[in-house]
Amino acid sequence: MTNFLQRAALVTLSGAALAASLLSPAQAASPAADPALTWRSCAKTGGPLDQECADLSVPLDYGDPAGPHLTLAVSRLRGDHPEARRGTLAVIPGGPGGSGVQRLTQKGEALRKETKGVYDLVAFDPRGVGGSTRASCQLAPDDRRLVNLRPWPDADGGIAGNIARARRTAEDCARNGGAVLRSFSTANEVRDLDLLRRALGERKLSAWGTSYGTYVGAQYAQRFPGRTDRFVLDSSGDPDPSRVERGWLANLARGVDDRFPDFAAWAADPARGDLRLAERADGVRPLFLDLAATLDRAPKTSTTPGVPLTGNLLRQALQNALVEDAAFPQLARLVEEARDPAAVPVLPPALAAPLPDEDAAVMLGVLCNDVSWPTSMGEYRRAVAADRARHPLTAGMPVNVTPCSFWKDAPAQQPTRITDDGPSNVLMIQNLRDPAVPYSGALKMRAAFGDRARLVSVDHGGHGVYLANGNACGDRAVTRFLVTGERPRGDLYCGA
């Protein structure tokens, strides 16, 4: 999913160094004892003045709770109406690799206001993220560029280069990531969330999970149904336990196709001035595809030394921009610069530089540790060829080979299947045109939960709904549920 691009880089340590410096068995608490949290003020720029932080010690391996431990960065905003306190609401970030502490800084004040201050709001940086214990694969800078971490095929559809990079990346992660990297998984994040519940002294948790965080929330609700209060899942993917992240990646092709018409309508509007790309919306798609094909054949020098604007980089820029309408102008400007022979394109910051190594490691770690991926290269070649023809905007990338096909460690635990067995206390909310987790996948999460869930469908494009796109109907439904426990009697549709 998304949100793995905006985290602060910390000092890089190899897996061995992390094990030596952070994983002393002496740090382990008794398995039967609830962990302790010592809170300190940690107001961050642009965030609430009363934000607090603490460190949570969690087992490296839950099968050995008295063994080595990791440290998770935790943050809290206390409710400002203690007389009406409902309990604790966990803010679960997206990713894999999103920062819960950063998410609370960005959304905490608005969430506290919306929920009338009846919750203490908490979040943590998952293993490998932000202020928590991190790991490194020690990848070469070029292998950490997003356009290479995402497996875009060659201009002719060949995947030989992807296979070589995937194998090399998996070998680097096996050599350098160590036990810390192997512990990055959804199953462990769910266990860590429950350990945080215990540390807070709560019998139950409420939660707001977004993007990948919906899968963490759904897994928590399935594994610990008696410990859930009110759960909101915002922008969900298909929970198919045989595919998980592989399915989410494949579904990007459908998501981009669903969302592109919104950009096309925007880019054909006469009000766009010099950013207007075509006179009619139906002219934007062929223009974009022709331009990408031109850049496949002849990449254009950009303002970033050594990083030309290629067809695949343009396609990745499109994928990034479809997440929110506010990014449309930057994409249109890049298209115009690519078309102008006299212009030198300015690459979006997320595509101009490599990801920090630790960010790449956690993203890959969770994807590859959660579920086994196919290993037949012939299967990938056939899938890429078919997907390129069916979904040219994504050119076969969503079904291509990744380092997970060469991962050295089998999943420690198979994903849990989401079922209708549990309390009816889940509210889902989803944009109809989500480029990252298409609506069709969310319908499968809805079906899996059965009567445990209700779905609020919002006629909007982009990724993220609650307190994100200004749809009053959708926001009201979520707020009412969190504050009063009232859900719609049936699934709800919210117009644009």
Side-chain angles (χ1 to χ4, degrees):
M1 295 192 186
T2 56
N3 301 330
F4 55 80
L5 296 177
Q6 300 172 348
R7 292 182 296 281
L10 300 182
V11 176
T12 302
L13 294 175
S14 69
L18 277 168
S21 64
L22 296 171
L23 304 181
S24 168
Q27 292 178 305
S30 165
D34 286 345
L37 294 171
T38 302
W39 296 101
R40 60 187 182 275
S41 176
C42 65
K44 302 178 186 302
T45 302
L49 295 178
D50 57 342
Q51 189 166 353
E52 298 175 293
C53 291
D55 296 319
L56 176 68
S57 179
V58 299
L60 173 68
D61 177 1
Y62 275 91
D64 181 19
H69 272 51
L70 310 179
T71 298
L72 303 186
V74 180
S75 192
R76 176 176 71 179
L77 285 180
R78 288 185 179 274
D80 51 13
H81 283 78
E83 73 285 353
R85 186 179 186 275
R86 171 74 198 175
T88 292
L89 190 155
V91 177
I92 310 175
S99 165
V101 174
Q102 183 183 71
R103 181 76 172 162
L104 191 62
T105 300
Q106 295 168 340
K107 292 290 188 178
E109 196 61 80
L111 180 60
R112 180 164 58 182
K113 180 179 179 181
E114 194 76 6
T115 55
K116 307 182 188 307
V118 301
Y119 290 100
D120 289 341
L121 308 177
V122 300
F124 65 84
D125 285 349
R127 300 168 184 232
V129 177
S132 296
T133 301
R134 312 197 78 182
S136 168
C137 289
Q138 298 186 26
L139 302 180
D142 193 55
D143 289 344
R144 290 188 272 113
R145 293 178 58 221
L146 182 58
V147 75
N148 291 329
L149 283 168
R150 292 286 176 90
W152 293 98
D154 291 339
D156 62 359
I159 68 169
N162 302 122
I163 293 171
R165 190 185 303 275
R167 180 181 285 110
R168 179 173 66 245
T169 297
E171 290 172 350
D172 286 345
C173 288
R175 183 167 51 250
N176 301 309
V180 177
L181 180 65
R182 291 194 295 273
S183 80
F184 296 167
S185 69
T186 301
N188 276 339
E189 185 168 343
V190 168
R191 295 184 184 101
D192 292 345
L193 179 60
D194 196 56
L195 197 61
L196 175 60
R197 175 195 62 80
R198 287 174 47 195
L200 294 167
E202 297 285 6
R203 188 173 62 87
K204 294 184 176 184
L205 280 179
S206 293
W208 172 33
T210 305
S211 190
Y212 166 69
T214 64
Y215 183 64
V216 176
Q219 288 283 308
Y220 188 93
Q222 187 66 40
R223 287 177 59 84
F224 305 116
R227 303 172 193 174
T228 62
D229 189 4
R230 297 169 183 172
F231 265 52
V232 174
L233 306 183
D234 181 341
S235 307
S236 302
D238 182 354
D240 180 354
S242 68
R243 290 165 58 84
V244 194
E245 286 92 346
R246 181 164 63 94
W248 303 338
L249 184 62
N251 288 343
L252 282 175
R254 170 96 181 252
V256 170
D257 284 349
D258 289 349
R259 173 65 161 151
F260 189 85
D262 290 342
F263 172 69
W266 182 94
D269 189 330
R272 302 304 160 219
D274 61 357
L275 294 182
R276 189 185 187 196
L277 301 182
E279 292 187 1
R280 293 166 49 92
D282 59 10
V284 177
R285 182 183 172 98
L287 180 154
F288 184 90
L289 291 173
D290 288 347
L291 179 59
T294 297
L295 292 169
D296 282 338
R297 295 187 296 269
K300 189 171 184 180
T301 300
S302 76
T303 57
T304 303
V307 185
L309 177 58
T310 64
N312 283 337
L313 198 150
L314 183 69
R315 295 179 184 101
Q316 184 62 60
L318 168 68
Q319 195 174 97
N320 289 6
L322 293 181
V323 169
E324 58 176 347
D325 292 2
F328 287 177
Q330 183 183 57
L331 176 62
R333 189 170 295 108
L334 182 64
V335 169
E336 290 288 41
E337 291 169 349
R339 298 171 69 197
D340 182 354
V344 180
V346 179
L347 302 183
L351 300 180
L355 270 69
D357 191 67
E358 300 94 330
D359 288 10
V362 68
M363 181 178 70
L364 292 169
V366 176
L367 266 62
C368 301
N369 289 332
D370 268 5
V371 69
S372 296
W373 292 54
T375 58
S376 167
M377 296 303 106
E379 182 179 331
Y380 286 112
R381 289 189 180 93
R382 291 187 291 273
V384 166
D387 216 52
R388 283 171 67 84
R390 191 178 300 116
H391 304 286
L393 287 170
T394 46
M397 181 277 290
V399 296
N400 202 359
V401 63
T402 72
C404 302
S405 293
F406 301 99
W407 211 243
K408 304 303 181 183
D409 299 292
Q413 176 180 326
Q414 293 303 311
T416 300
R417 181 178 294 278
I418 304 302
T419 74
D420 60 1
D421 184 17
S424 187
N425 61 356
V426 177
L427 182 67
M428 298 174 57
I429 186 165
Q430 192 87 11
N431 286 326
L432 294 183
R433 299 177 301 283
D434 190 316
V437 282
Y439 187 71
S440 55
L443 290 178
K444 294 181 179 180
M445 178 76 88
R446 171 68 183 88
F449 269 123
D451 194 53
R452 296 183 67 188
R454 299 288 184 272
L455 173 62
V456 179
S457 303
V458 178
D459 185 5
H460 201 280
H463 187 54
V465 191
Y466 185 52
L467 305 183
N469 63 19
N471 186 278
C473 167
D475 285 353
R476 278 197 305 270
V478 174
T479 297
R480 183 182 301 116
F481 172 59
L482 289 176
V483 174
T484 71
E486 179 186 348
R487 295 186 310 176
R489 292 186 178 180
D491 291 348
L492 175 67
Y493 170 80
C494 289

